[in-house]
Amino acid sequence: VLAKGDSDDVYMVGKLAAFEIQNLLVAYKERYDKDNFIKNLLLDNLLLVDIYNRAKKLHIEASVRRVVFLIETKNEKDTNALETVKGLFSSKSKDFITQVDEKNIIVVKEVKPNEDLEKTAKVILDMLNTEAMTMVHVSYGTMVNEIKDVSRSYKEAKMALDVGKIFYSDRNVIAYSSLGIGRL
């Protein structure tokens, strides 16, 4: 037989247990979630050993040629543009589409030999202009061979976008490799 005060204790213990289970689920999801991994990878929030360990657990190949495309939309949180980009790359399960802020969509794309990155960027641009009916700027970094270098390609794409708006305002697609003196 429980006294009135005992039922309150049982209730509090149940609430505490539920809270702890939620914390464990969040920790588990963070550890095994590809999107979270890619975001942390792009933002340099992982140690080198963690990059390779998590990539292995998530079945992401570490030694593959990749490049980061950065798509800046005019509207914040443009879900229509995000869904269009996801639709464009959805058949390629080795490519990752994510967002780290409200205005930018990031594509970490696995690059095939002899793939034309400029052409891919223009396809993204055209698709968003026609299907999502939104004007965007697309930039991309240099190709990297290791997963640990993906953040470098992201930083290059970000710089290309920023510098491109200043020195190449007439272009909607800009590559880091074509910045020339603008890199300085």
Side-chain angles (χ1 to χ4, degrees):
V1 178
L2 292 173
K4 182 170 178 19
D6 291 340
S7 65
D8 289 341
D9 291 342
V10 170
Y11 176 74
M12 288 305 292
V13 168
K15 257 186 117 167
L16 185 61
F19 179 73
E20 287 301 318
I21 289 171
Q22 282 181 319
N23 283 344
L24 287 171
L25 284 172
V26 167
Y28 180 83
K29 188 175 180 183
E30 281 181 5
R31 188 173 185 127
Y32 296 99
D33 182 33
K34 286 184 181 182
D35 187 60
N36 190 286
F37 170 69
I38 294 298
K39 283 179 184 177
N40 282 316
L41 182 65
L42 291 168
L43 298 173
D44 270 338
N45 290 341
L46 297 169
L47 297 172
L48 188 61
V49 68
D50 289 338
I51 291 172
Y52 287 101
N53 287 338
R54 281 212 197 157
K56 188 175 181 181
K57 286 177 184 167
L58 294 169
H59 306 289
I60 298 171
E61 285 187 60
S63 298
V64 173
R65 293 171 6 139
R66 292 182 174 94
V67 70
V68 175
F69 289 91
L70 185 60
I71 305 156
E72 182 186 65
T73 60
K74 290 198 177 196
N75 305 322
E76 288 190 6
K77 294 186 180 180
D78 193 337
T79 54
N80 194 21
L82 179 63
E83 291 307 314
T84 302
V85 172
K86 282 183 178 179
L88 182 62
F89 293 99
S90 65
S91 63
K92 299 163 187 80
S93 62
K94 295 182 179 185
D95 298 337
F96 303 99
I97 297 97
T98 191
Q99 287 184 295
V100 292
D101 58 32
E102 287 81 25
K103 289 189 87 174
N104 295 317
I105 300 168
I106 300 158
V107 178
V108 180
K109 185 173 184 341
E110 189 173 305
V111 181
K112 295 175 184 71
N114 302 323
E115 186 170 345
D116 186 350
L117 300 179
E118 183 80 14
K119 184 178 177 184
T120 303
K122 286 181 179 174
V123 167
I124 294 169
L125 179 75
D126 292 341
M127 185 72 81
L128 288 169
N129 285 342
T130 56
E131 285 195 25
M133 290 192 236
T134 184
M135 293 298 294
V136 297
H137 292 282
V138 180
S139 66
Y140 57 96
T142 55
M143 205 174 338
V144 296
N145 294 315
E146 284 289 325
I147 196 159
K148 67 180 174 64
D149 296 323
V150 166
S151 65
R152 187 185 77 222
S153 185
Y154 168 66
K155 289 172 189 166
E156 291 169 351
K158 196 163 178 48
M159 180 186 285
L161 186 66
D162 295 339
V163 172
K165 284 187 213 171
I166 297 166
F167 291 103
Y168 309 102
S169 58
D170 58 323
R171 291 164 57 184
N172 289 328
V173 172
I174 188 75
Y176 178 79
S177 59
S178 69
L179 289 179
I181 198 160
R183 273 189 253 183
L184 297 175

